[in-house]
Amino acid sequence: MQEHFTLVDHPLVQHKLTKMREKSTSSAVFRQLLREISHLLAYEVTRGLPMTTTPIETPMEAMEAPVLKGKKLALVSILRAGNGLLDGVLELIPSARVGFVGLYRDEKTLQPVQYYFKVPKDLEQRVVIAVDPMLATGNSSVKAIDLLKEAGAKDIRFLCLLAAPEGVARMKEAHPDVAIVSAALDRQLSDIGYILPGLGDAGDRMFGTK
Ligand code: URA
């Protein structure tokens, strides 16, 4: 298994993330940067995928060449902010199957409320990558992983952009088998569950809804 928490400290990721955090960055630029970072994060979260070989013929000779093993990956976006990461990851893994988990955060209790769930078949036979830019309290991430496991998923990875220590700890307690890949581990949560220093509300920054 991968490490429980992997920080992607690549210079390009860190530079783009700084621009995303900056409050004057427009939604259009924010989305573009997220798409670019998603490619780099997708590279990291798919590290160590099971491989096999297949016989092919190059113009020169026959060879046994490496290919991914097993059924197509499943990418699961935790709505709505997950879609920003999903688009970029799909560009790198275009044949992946795609699912959606609709959860919103009750701003009083900070607890996740489910409103949608649609995932690919045969989840138990696929590597599942759940995507959500913000791992904050961990409440919605834990709930999403609960739902994916109930649907049969056994090999799950979690991809985010920013994580708070509280969210990482909550995920580790609830789902120690789920490897987390993130571009940053921020300082703490605010008293209303926002990541500090963070980047604000990822969905609002992405879609200009504030
Ligand atoms: N969700 C966000 O969009 N931002 C945060 O800081 C925390 C949760």
Side-chain angles (χ1 to χ4, degrees):
M1 187 181 105
Q2 286 177 290
E3 292 292 313
H4 182 256
F5 183 82
T6 301
L7 184 67
V8 183
D9 59 358
H10 190 285
L12 288 178
V13 171
Q14 295 306 314
H15 182 84
K16 290 174 194 295
L17 180 56
T18 296
K19 289 187 169 180
M20 292 179 74
R21 290 183 190 270
E22 173 60 56
K23 68 178 180 186
S24 62
T25 297
S26 68
S27 289
V29 172
F30 187 94
R31 280 199 303 272
Q32 178 59 31
L33 289 164
L34 182 55
R35 182 178 291 256
E36 291 166 10
I37 287 190
S38 306
H39 296 159
L40 299 161
L41 295 178
Y43 178 81
E44 192 60 46
V45 78
T46 50
R47 193 182 284 281
L49 282 181
M51 300 293 293
T52 184
T53 61
T54 188
I56 62 163
E57 297 218 9
T58 79
M60 307 303 289
E61 62 179 27
M63 74 174 284
E64 278 291 318
V67 285
L68 293 170
K69 186 178 177 184
K71 279 191 178 286
K72 305 263 184 295
L73 287 168
L75 305 177
V76 178
S77 169
I78 303 172
L79 297 173
R80 70 181 160 148
N83 283 10
L85 270 179
L86 174 70
D87 290 345
V89 178
L90 257 182
E91 281 171 6
L92 213 70
I93 320 170
S95 58
R97 303 300 190 241
V98 179
F100 296 93
V101 180
L103 295 173
Y104 69 86
R105 185 161 72 152
D106 184 309
E107 294 299 339
K108 286 209 179 72
T109 63
L110 303 185
Q111 292 305 310
V113 183
Q114 183 192 335
Y115 63 90
Y116 191 73
F117 188 77
K118 182 86 178 171
V119 293
K121 281 188 299 189
D122 308 326
L123 223 48
E124 66 285 352
Q125 296 171 45
R126 302 179 190 275
V127 173
V128 177
I129 302 176
V131 298
D132 186 348
M134 310 301 270
L135 175 53
T137 60
N139 290 340
S140 53
S141 312
V142 165
K143 175 74 177 171
I145 304 296
D146 288 345
L147 293 169
L148 291 173
K149 286 186 174 173
E150 278 165 29
K154 294 195 163 44
D155 184 350
I156 308 175
R157 300 163 192 211
F158 186 88
L159 179 62
C160 59
L161 189 61
L162 295 189
E166 296 90 332
V168 174
R170 173 105 170 80
M171 279 282 276
K172 187 165 192 176
E173 188 192 341
H175 297 295
D177 56 314
V178 174
I180 300 167
V181 172
S182 179
L185 181 61
D186 274 12
R187 192 180 70 246
Q188 67 183 93
L189 289 180
S190 74
D191 51 8
I192 55 164
Y194 276 80
I195 298 177
L196 298 173
L199 50 72
D201 186 293
D204 286 343
R205 296 289 311 270
M206 226 176 270
F207 303 118
T209 43
K210 195 87 187 180

PDB file of all heavy atoms in Angstrom, residues 81 105 132-137 162 189-190 192-205, ligand 1:
ATOM      1  N   ALA A  81     -17.315  20.609  -5.958  1.00  0.00           N
ATOM      2  CA  ALA A  81     -15.947  21.066  -6.224  1.00  0.00           C
ATOM      3  C   ALA A  81     -15.083  19.959  -6.838  1.00  0.00           C
ATOM      4  O   ALA A  81     -14.117  20.239  -7.539  1.00  0.00           O
ATOM      5  CB  ALA A  81     -15.313  21.599  -4.941  1.00  0.00           C
ATOM      6  N   ARG A 105     -22.417  20.361   2.632  1.00  0.00           N
ATOM      7  CA  ARG A 105     -22.080  20.483   4.045  1.00  0.00           C
ATOM      8  C   ARG A 105     -23.091  21.394   4.713  1.00  0.00           C
ATOM      9  O   ARG A 105     -23.251  22.544   4.336  1.00  0.00           O
ATOM     10  CB  ARG A 105     -20.675  21.062   4.160  1.00  0.00           C
ATOM     11  CG  ARG A 105     -20.183  21.116   5.584  1.00  0.00           C
ATOM     12  CD  ARG A 105     -18.688  21.248   5.628  1.00  0.00           C
ATOM     13  NE  ARG A 105     -18.196  22.543   5.218  1.00  0.00           N
ATOM     14  CZ  ARG A 105     -17.067  23.071   5.659  1.00  0.00           C
ATOM     15  NH1 ARG A 105     -16.317  22.396   6.514  1.00  0.00           N
ATOM     16  NH2 ARG A 105     -16.667  24.240   5.256  1.00  0.00           N
ATOM     17  N   ASP A 132     -11.749  15.381  -4.476  1.00  0.00           N
ATOM     18  CA  ASP A 132     -12.388  16.538  -3.846  1.00  0.00           C
ATOM     19  C   ASP A 132     -11.244  17.500  -3.495  1.00  0.00           C
ATOM     20  O   ASP A 132     -10.312  17.095  -2.797  1.00  0.00           O
ATOM     21  CB  ASP A 132     -13.119  16.103  -2.566  1.00  0.00           C
ATOM     22  CG  ASP A 132     -13.915  17.245  -1.948  1.00  0.00           C
ATOM     23  OD1 ASP A 132     -13.733  18.406  -2.354  1.00  0.00           O
ATOM     24  OD2 ASP A 132     -14.720  16.967  -1.028  1.00  0.00           O
ATOM     25  N   PRO A 133     -11.282  18.740  -3.982  1.00  0.00           N
ATOM     26  CA  PRO A 133     -10.120  19.604  -3.750  1.00  0.00           C
ATOM     27  C   PRO A 133      -9.800  19.860  -2.278  1.00  0.00           C
ATOM     28  O   PRO A 133      -8.652  20.084  -1.941  1.00  0.00           O
ATOM     29  CB  PRO A 133     -10.495  20.914  -4.442  1.00  0.00           C
ATOM     30  CG  PRO A 133     -11.664  20.639  -5.290  1.00  0.00           C
ATOM     31  CD  PRO A 133     -12.316  19.388  -4.791  1.00  0.00           C
ATOM     32  N   MET A 134     -10.834  19.863  -1.404  1.00  0.00           N
ATOM     33  CA  MET A 134     -10.603  20.300  -0.032  1.00  0.00           C
ATOM     34  C   MET A 134     -10.879  19.178   0.974  1.00  0.00           C
ATOM     35  O   MET A 134     -12.033  18.759   1.150  1.00  0.00           O
ATOM     36  CB  MET A 134     -11.509  21.488   0.300  1.00  0.00           C
ATOM     37  CG  MET A 134     -11.466  22.613  -0.725  1.00  0.00           C
ATOM     38  SD  MET A 134      -9.841  23.325  -0.958  1.00  0.00           S
ATOM     39  CE  MET A 134      -9.875  24.608   0.263  1.00  0.00           C
ATOM     40  N   LEU A 135      -9.838  18.724   1.664  1.00  0.00           N
ATOM     41  CA  LEU A 135     -10.030  17.788   2.776  1.00  0.00           C
ATOM     42  C   LEU A 135      -9.972  18.643   4.044  1.00  0.00           C
ATOM     43  O   LEU A 135      -8.890  18.942   4.559  1.00  0.00           O
ATOM     44  CB  LEU A 135      -8.937  16.716   2.763  1.00  0.00           C
ATOM     45  CG  LEU A 135      -8.921  15.722   3.921  1.00  0.00           C
ATOM     46  CD1 LEU A 135     -10.268  15.040   4.107  1.00  0.00           C
ATOM     47  CD2 LEU A 135      -7.839  14.674   3.726  1.00  0.00           C
ATOM     48  N   ALA A 136     -11.143  19.067   4.517  1.00  0.00           N
ATOM     49  CA  ALA A 136     -11.211  20.032   5.619  1.00  0.00           C
ATOM     50  C   ALA A 136     -11.491  19.304   6.947  1.00  0.00           C
ATOM     51  O   ALA A 136     -10.572  18.782   7.570  1.00  0.00           O
ATOM     52  CB  ALA A 136     -12.252  21.096   5.301  1.00  0.00           C
ATOM     53  N   THR A 137     -12.759  19.231   7.349  1.00  0.00           N
ATOM     54  CA  THR A 137     -13.065  18.475   8.581  1.00  0.00           C
ATOM     55  C   THR A 137     -12.878  16.979   8.355  1.00  0.00           C
ATOM     56  O   THR A 137     -12.666  16.218   9.295  1.00  0.00           O
ATOM     57  CB  THR A 137     -14.529  18.692   9.007  1.00  0.00           C
ATOM     58  OG1 THR A 137     -15.379  18.228   7.944  1.00  0.00           O
ATOM     59  CG2 THR A 137     -14.827  20.147   9.306  1.00  0.00           C
ATOM     60  N   LEU A 162      -5.873  20.662  -1.167  1.00  0.00           N
ATOM     61  CA  LEU A 162      -5.461  21.123   0.165  1.00  0.00           C
ATOM     62  C   LEU A 162      -6.040  20.190   1.215  1.00  0.00           C
ATOM     63  O   LEU A 162      -7.195  19.779   1.108  1.00  0.00           O
ATOM     64  CB  LEU A 162      -6.030  22.506   0.470  1.00  0.00           C
ATOM     65  CG  LEU A 162      -5.610  23.709  -0.336  1.00  0.00           C
ATOM     66  CD1 LEU A 162      -6.146  24.970   0.331  1.00  0.00           C
ATOM     67  CD2 LEU A 162      -4.110  23.772  -0.456  1.00  0.00           C
ATOM     68  N   LEU A 189      -7.979  24.261  10.757  1.00  0.00           N
ATOM     69  CA  LEU A 189      -9.323  24.663  10.341  1.00  0.00           C
ATOM     70  C   LEU A 189      -9.728  25.925  11.081  1.00  0.00           C
ATOM     71  O   LEU A 189      -9.356  26.121  12.241  1.00  0.00           O
ATOM     72  CB  LEU A 189     -10.331  23.568  10.689  1.00  0.00           C
ATOM     73  CG  LEU A 189     -10.282  22.280   9.863  1.00  0.00           C
ATOM     74  CD1 LEU A 189     -11.367  21.330  10.359  1.00  0.00           C
ATOM     75  CD2 LEU A 189     -10.445  22.562   8.381  1.00  0.00           C
ATOM     76  N   SER A 190     -10.552  26.735  10.416  1.00  0.00           N
ATOM     77  CA  SER A 190     -11.135  27.886  11.118  1.00  0.00           C
ATOM     78  C   SER A 190     -12.292  27.364  11.987  1.00  0.00           C
ATOM     79  O   SER A 190     -12.673  26.181  11.893  1.00  0.00           O
ATOM     80  CB  SER A 190     -11.674  28.895  10.102  1.00  0.00           C
ATOM     81  OG  SER A 190     -12.878  28.403   9.541  1.00  0.00           O
ATOM     82  N   ILE A 192     -15.294  27.797  11.598  1.00  0.00           N
ATOM     83  CA  ILE A 192     -16.434  27.340  10.788  1.00  0.00           C
ATOM     84  C   ILE A 192     -15.998  26.301   9.754  1.00  0.00           C
ATOM     85  O   ILE A 192     -16.666  26.076   8.739  1.00  0.00           O
ATOM     86  CB  ILE A 192     -17.183  28.518  10.111  1.00  0.00           C
ATOM     87  CG1 ILE A 192     -16.224  29.368   9.268  1.00  0.00           C
ATOM     88  CG2 ILE A 192     -17.911  29.362  11.146  1.00  0.00           C
ATOM     89  CD1 ILE A 192     -16.938  30.290   8.283  1.00  0.00           C
ATOM     90  N   GLY A 193     -14.871  25.658  10.024  1.00  0.00           N
ATOM     91  CA  GLY A 193     -14.484  24.500   9.217  1.00  0.00           C
ATOM     92  C   GLY A 193     -13.842  24.815   7.878  1.00  0.00           C
ATOM     93  O   GLY A 193     -13.806  23.958   6.998  1.00  0.00           O
ATOM     94  N   TYR A 194     -13.316  26.034   7.728  1.00  0.00           N
ATOM     95  CA  TYR A 194     -12.565  26.352   6.499  1.00  0.00           C
ATOM     96  C   TYR A 194     -11.075  26.131   6.746  1.00  0.00           C
ATOM     97  O   TYR A 194     -10.592  26.280   7.869  1.00  0.00           O
ATOM     98  CB  TYR A 194     -12.831  27.795   6.053  1.00  0.00           C
ATOM     99  CG  TYR A 194     -14.101  27.883   5.239  1.00  0.00           C
ATOM    100  CD1 TYR A 194     -15.347  27.905   5.861  1.00  0.00           C
ATOM    101  CD2 TYR A 194     -14.064  27.897   3.844  1.00  0.00           C
ATOM    102  CE1 TYR A 194     -16.522  27.938   5.129  1.00  0.00           C
ATOM    103  CE2 TYR A 194     -15.233  27.932   3.099  1.00  0.00           C
ATOM    104  CZ  TYR A 194     -16.455  27.957   3.738  1.00  0.00           C
ATOM    105  OH  TYR A 194     -17.601  27.979   3.007  1.00  0.00           O
ATOM    106  N   ILE A 195     -10.375  25.785   5.671  1.00  0.00           N
ATOM    107  CA  ILE A 195      -8.941  25.517   5.797  1.00  0.00           C
ATOM    108  C   ILE A 195      -8.173  26.839   5.849  1.00  0.00           C
ATOM    109  O   ILE A 195      -8.451  27.755   5.069  1.00  0.00           O
ATOM    110  CB  ILE A 195      -8.453  24.649   4.617  1.00  0.00           C
ATOM    111  CG1 ILE A 195      -9.159  23.287   4.629  1.00  0.00           C
ATOM    112  CG2 ILE A 195      -6.943  24.470   4.659  1.00  0.00           C
ATOM    113  CD1 ILE A 195      -8.808  22.370   3.468  1.00  0.00           C
ATOM    114  N   LEU A 196      -7.204  26.920   6.782  1.00  0.00           N
ATOM    115  CA  LEU A 196      -6.345  28.100   6.933  1.00  0.00           C
ATOM    116  C   LEU A 196      -4.887  27.719   6.682  1.00  0.00           C
ATOM    117  O   LEU A 196      -4.453  26.696   7.231  1.00  0.00           O
ATOM    118  CB  LEU A 196      -6.475  28.666   8.357  1.00  0.00           C
ATOM    119  CG  LEU A 196      -7.871  29.165   8.765  1.00  0.00           C
ATOM    120  CD1 LEU A 196      -7.892  29.531  10.238  1.00  0.00           C
ATOM    121  CD2 LEU A 196      -8.290  30.335   7.900  1.00  0.00           C
ATOM    122  N   PRO A 197      -4.135  28.449   5.862  1.00  0.00           N
ATOM    123  CA  PRO A 197      -4.578  29.658   5.151  1.00  0.00           C
ATOM    124  C   PRO A 197      -5.536  29.380   4.005  1.00  0.00           C
ATOM    125  O   PRO A 197      -6.278  30.272   3.610  1.00  0.00           O
ATOM    126  CB  PRO A 197      -3.278  30.285   4.656  1.00  0.00           C
ATOM    127  CG  PRO A 197      -2.273  29.187   4.658  1.00  0.00           C
ATOM    128  CD  PRO A 197      -2.692  28.197   5.700  1.00  0.00           C
ATOM    129  N   GLY A 198      -5.511  28.196   3.419  1.00  0.00           N
ATOM    130  CA  GLY A 198      -6.522  27.766   2.469  1.00  0.00           C
ATOM    131  C   GLY A 198      -6.597  28.580   1.193  1.00  0.00           C
ATOM    132  O   GLY A 198      -5.629  29.230   0.767  1.00  0.00           O
ATOM    133  N   LEU A 199      -7.767  28.512   0.583  1.00  0.00           N
ATOM    134  CA  LEU A 199      -8.021  29.305  -0.626  1.00  0.00           C
ATOM    135  C   LEU A 199      -9.472  29.764  -0.693  1.00  0.00           C
ATOM    136  O   LEU A 199      -9.946  30.234  -1.721  1.00  0.00           O
ATOM    137  CB  LEU A 199      -7.625  28.533  -1.898  1.00  0.00           C
ATOM    138  CG  LEU A 199      -8.127  27.105  -2.103  1.00  0.00           C
ATOM    139  CD1 LEU A 199      -9.604  27.045  -2.413  1.00  0.00           C
ATOM    140  CD2 LEU A 199      -7.344  26.437  -3.225  1.00  0.00           C
ATOM    141  N   GLY A 200     -10.178  29.599   0.433  1.00  0.00           N
ATOM    142  CA  GLY A 200     -11.591  29.982   0.468  1.00  0.00           C
ATOM    143  C   GLY A 200     -12.464  28.811   0.078  1.00  0.00           C
ATOM    144  O   GLY A 200     -12.070  27.649   0.227  1.00  0.00           O
ATOM    145  N   ASP A 201     -13.653  29.114  -0.413  1.00  0.00           N
ATOM    146  CA  ASP A 201     -14.579  28.056  -0.827  1.00  0.00           C
ATOM    147  C   ASP A 201     -14.224  27.629  -2.259  1.00  0.00           C
ATOM    148  O   ASP A 201     -14.351  28.423  -3.195  1.00  0.00           O
ATOM    149  CB  ASP A 201     -16.022  28.576  -0.774  1.00  0.00           C
ATOM    150  CG  ASP A 201     -17.021  27.460  -1.061  1.00  0.00           C
ATOM    151  OD1 ASP A 201     -17.042  26.970  -2.227  1.00  0.00           O
ATOM    152  OD2 ASP A 201     -17.748  27.061  -0.143  1.00  0.00           O
ATOM    153  N   ALA A 202     -13.775  26.380  -2.390  1.00  0.00           N
ATOM    154  CA  ALA A 202     -13.261  25.928  -3.694  1.00  0.00           C
ATOM    155  C   ALA A 202     -14.347  26.008  -4.774  1.00  0.00           C
ATOM    156  O   ALA A 202     -14.072  26.431  -5.904  1.00  0.00           O
ATOM    157  CB  ALA A 202     -12.716  24.510  -3.575  1.00  0.00           C
ATOM    158  N   GLY A 203     -15.565  25.613  -4.426  1.00  0.00           N
ATOM    159  CA  GLY A 203     -16.658  25.655  -5.407  1.00  0.00           C
ATOM    160  C   GLY A 203     -16.931  27.082  -5.852  1.00  0.00           C
ATOM    161  O   GLY A 203     -17.066  27.362  -7.054  1.00  0.00           O
ATOM    162  N   ASP A 204     -16.984  28.006  -4.908  1.00  0.00           N
ATOM    163  CA  ASP A 204     -17.225  29.417  -5.253  1.00  0.00           C
ATOM    164  C   ASP A 204     -16.086  29.983  -6.090  1.00  0.00           C
ATOM    165  O   ASP A 204     -16.311  30.730  -7.050  1.00  0.00           O
ATOM    166  CB  ASP A 204     -17.393  30.260  -3.980  1.00  0.00           C
ATOM    167  CG  ASP A 204     -18.739  30.031  -3.309  1.00  0.00           C
ATOM    168  OD1 ASP A 204     -19.650  29.494  -3.974  1.00  0.00           O
ATOM    169  OD2 ASP A 204     -18.865  30.393  -2.125  1.00  0.00           O
ATOM    170  N   ARG A 205     -14.857  29.640  -5.719  1.00  0.00           N
ATOM    171  CA  ARG A 205     -13.696  30.156  -6.487  1.00  0.00           C
ATOM    172  C   ARG A 205     -13.740  29.625  -7.925  1.00  0.00           C
ATOM    173  O   ARG A 205     -13.413  30.320  -8.880  1.00  0.00           O
ATOM    174  CB  ARG A 205     -12.377  29.708  -5.823  1.00  0.00           C
ATOM    175  CG  ARG A 205     -12.109  30.229  -4.431  1.00  0.00           C
ATOM    176  CD  ARG A 205     -11.789  31.705  -4.366  1.00  0.00           C
ATOM    177  NE  ARG A 205     -10.792  32.182  -5.295  1.00  0.00           N
ATOM    178  CZ  ARG A 205      -9.472  32.237  -5.065  1.00  0.00           C
ATOM    179  NH1 ARG A 205      -9.002  31.875  -3.882  1.00  0.00           N
ATOM    180  NH2 ARG A 205      -8.625  32.685  -5.968  1.00  0.00           N
TER     181      ARG A 205
HETATM  182  N1  URA B   1     -14.457  23.539   1.604  1.00  0.00           N
HETATM  183  C1  URA B   1     -13.927  24.572   0.904  1.00  0.00           C
HETATM  184  O1  URA B   1     -14.312  24.825  -0.237  1.00  0.00           O
HETATM  185  N2  URA B   1     -12.993  25.343   1.512  1.00  0.00           N
HETATM  186  C2  URA B   1     -12.544  25.106   2.757  1.00  0.00           C
HETATM  187  O2  URA B   1     -11.661  25.821   3.231  1.00  0.00           O
HETATM  188  C3  URA B   1     -13.112  24.020   3.458  1.00  0.00           C
HETATM  189  C4  URA B   1     -14.059  23.246   2.864  1.00  0.00           C
END
